[in-house]
Amino acid sequence: MKNFKKIFSVALLMFIIISFSCPNTFAASDTVVLGGQPFGIKFYNRGVIVIEMQSFFNGQKYICPAKNSGLKVNDIITQINGETVNTNEALQSKVLCSNGQDLTFTIERNGKEIKKTVSPKKNMAGSYIIGAWIRDSCAGIGTITYYDTNKNYFTALGHGVCDSKTSALLPLGFGQVVGAKISGVTKSVSGKAGSLNGYFTDTSIGILTSNTSNGVYGTTNDIFIPKGKNVEIADKNEIKVGKAQIYTTINGTNPKYYDIEITKICNTQQNSNENFVIKVTSNEIIDECGGIVQGMSGSPIIQNEKLVGAVTHVFLNNPCEGYGVIAQNMALNYNK
């Protein structure tokens, strides 16, 4: 969670439990196809990520081999004894069959590859374990921001897919993007973010190619791209405090426009997804959703008929307000 003048906010991808060769350029007059549709992500890690250390009793004392070996939360385990590990089951099998012999873990930490020697120990049940909880995949619902038919990519969420426990950006191995249908809403209330409730459809939209702090990027089937919703991406200097709209879906699969206000420009930093503050003024959104809810992440924000950004966070103590990310930054971070 992030803090803004003692106002807490949460990212809006609802969990159920990246680089190209094109030049990194942007023109303020770039025209894209407006999103607003809900979609589902099936996200599979590259390697497995350590999300928690947990000591266990071995009959004499509490121990944690993972911690003792130097592993840390958010470490990405990519190999054990030189063999690729991409699933919880693969890691568990290596540890269980170790017979207590040392294992060489290849991990990624802060962008660097290092090796650690881990010695599994028996628990009270007689099984070899290392005392670490790991995660290899996740799934969730979010909103498409826009499609760029010239560069053949789409972007969504406005923030990265992060681990729900550690908030670390998850390493993308493979990501499948499918259609989603919103079937209900759990309202946001002060202190708790609500959610768009729905289900994945059988419609395959495409695949993810990148997971960044400013959103996810991927390729899609042209059949899924809506027609007649072309819009220019605004230069960040064009964004002003004042009236705007979000284009989002709170029922079914068809997005609608809802009134909001941009109340403050916080910063224009390219690596931030908290560039400006928005306030929902639409009575329909307030009545139906209680304000901003999880699943709206990525919903396009329109001002003066241009795409200025996307919804990213909700303020927990005031669900009618939240953060937006600048669309120009999303475009610039494609290929990064």
Side-chain angles (χ1 to χ4, degrees):
M1 294 185 184
K2 306 294 177 71
N3 183 279
F4 174 68
K5 291 187 177 179
K6 299 183 180 178
I7 299 176
F8 291 98
S9 64
V10 293
L12 297 174
L13 172 66
M14 182 176 67
F15 283 104
I16 298 175
I17 45 163
I18 326 191
S19 162
F20 297 89
S21 58
C22 306
N24 184 14
T25 58
F26 171 82
S29 61
D30 279 359
T31 299
V32 295
V33 179
L34 199 62
Q37 301 84 14
F39 74 104
I41 296 178
K42 299 176 183 179
F43 190 104
Y44 303 92
N45 294 356
R46 173 181 47 79
V48 298
I49 187 169
V50 179
I51 62 171
E52 184 178 350
M53 302 289 189
Q54 187 174 71
S55 298
F56 59 91
F57 193 64
N58 68 352
Q60 297 179 326
K61 59 181 180 179
Y62 282 92
I63 59 173
C64 184
K67 185 176 181 179
N68 294 340
S69 70
L71 290 184
K72 296 181 179 181
V73 170
N74 291 336
D75 279 349
I76 302 166
I77 303 168
T78 58
Q79 294 182 343
I80 297 179
N81 288 349
E83 296 185 15
T84 299
V85 173
N86 282 318
T87 65
N88 296 354
E89 291 79 9
L91 183 142
Q92 185 179 37
S93 177
K94 295 288 186 185
V95 172
L96 286 173
C97 297
S98 68
N99 292 320
Q101 295 182 358
D102 289 349
L103 299 174
T104 300
F105 279 45
T106 302
I107 66 174
E108 291 182 14
R109 179 186 297 167
N110 299 325
K112 297 181 180 179
E113 182 178 283
I114 60 177
K115 295 184 185 296
K116 295 290 183 180
T117 300
V118 183
S119 302
K121 303 296 182 184
K122 282 185 178 181
N123 61 12
M124 291 296 290
S127 299
Y128 286 102
I129 61 176
I130 63 171
W133 290 94
I134 61 173
R135 181 162 292 152
D136 61 3
S137 61
C138 63
I141 290 175
T143 302
I144 300 285
T145 305
Y146 68 80
Y147 308 83
D148 189 320
T149 56
N150 293 318
K151 297 179 182 176
N152 298 315
Y153 79 95
F154 73 90
T155 185
L157 298 184
H159 60 72
V161 178
C162 299
D163 183 79
S164 58
K165 190 174 184 67
T166 69
S167 297
L169 194 69
L170 293 177
L172 175 64
F174 174 75
Q176 183 180 6
V177 182
V178 297
K181 185 173 184 178
I182 306 303
S183 56
V185 179
T186 301
K187 285 187 176 183
S188 285
V189 295
S190 181
K192 186 177 181 180
S195 63
L196 297 176
N197 305 320
Y199 54 89
F200 293 177
T201 70
D202 294 330
T203 303
S204 177
I205 297 175
I207 60 171
L208 294 186
T209 53
S210 184
N211 182 32
T212 80
S213 60
N214 282 54
V216 296
Y217 301 82
T219 58
T220 186
N221 190 324
D222 289 344
I223 297 175
F224 188 79
I225 299 175
K227 308 300 181 184
K229 293 291 182 181
N230 295 334
V231 63
E232 287 185 13
I233 296 179
D235 184 88
K236 60 186 178 183
N237 295 319
E238 296 181 84
I239 305 171
K240 306 296 181 184
V241 170
K243 293 182 179 180
Q245 291 181 308
I246 59 172
Y247 191 59
T248 194
T249 305
I250 63 173
N251 184 41
T253 59
N254 296 319
K256 291 172 55 179
Y257 290 98
Y258 301 94
D259 290 337
I260 65 168
E261 289 183 4
I262 296 174
T263 60
K264 183 176 182 177
I265 310 297
C266 303
N267 66 76
T268 57
Q269 296 173 7
Q270 189 175 331
N271 61 352
S272 171
N273 54 33
E274 299 175 350
N275 299 130
F276 54 88
V277 177
I278 63 172
K279 179 180 180 180
V280 173
T281 57
S282 163
N283 289 331
E284 185 175 356
I285 288 285
I286 294 171
D287 292 343
E288 296 293 327
C289 305
I292 302 168
V293 296
Q294 295 182 86
M296 286 183 181
S297 168
S299 297
I301 299 173
I302 306 299
Q303 188 179 57
N304 296 324
E305 300 184 352
K306 290 187 178 183
L307 176 64
V308 298
V311 179
T312 61
H313 293 73
V314 57
F315 292 165
L316 287 181
N317 72 332
N318 185 0
C320 285
E321 294 186 327
Y323 283 121
V325 62
I326 292 174
Q328 184 181 29
N329 289 347
M330 297 178 73
L332 287 171
N333 276 348
Y334 169 69
N335 301 333
K336 216 181 168 188

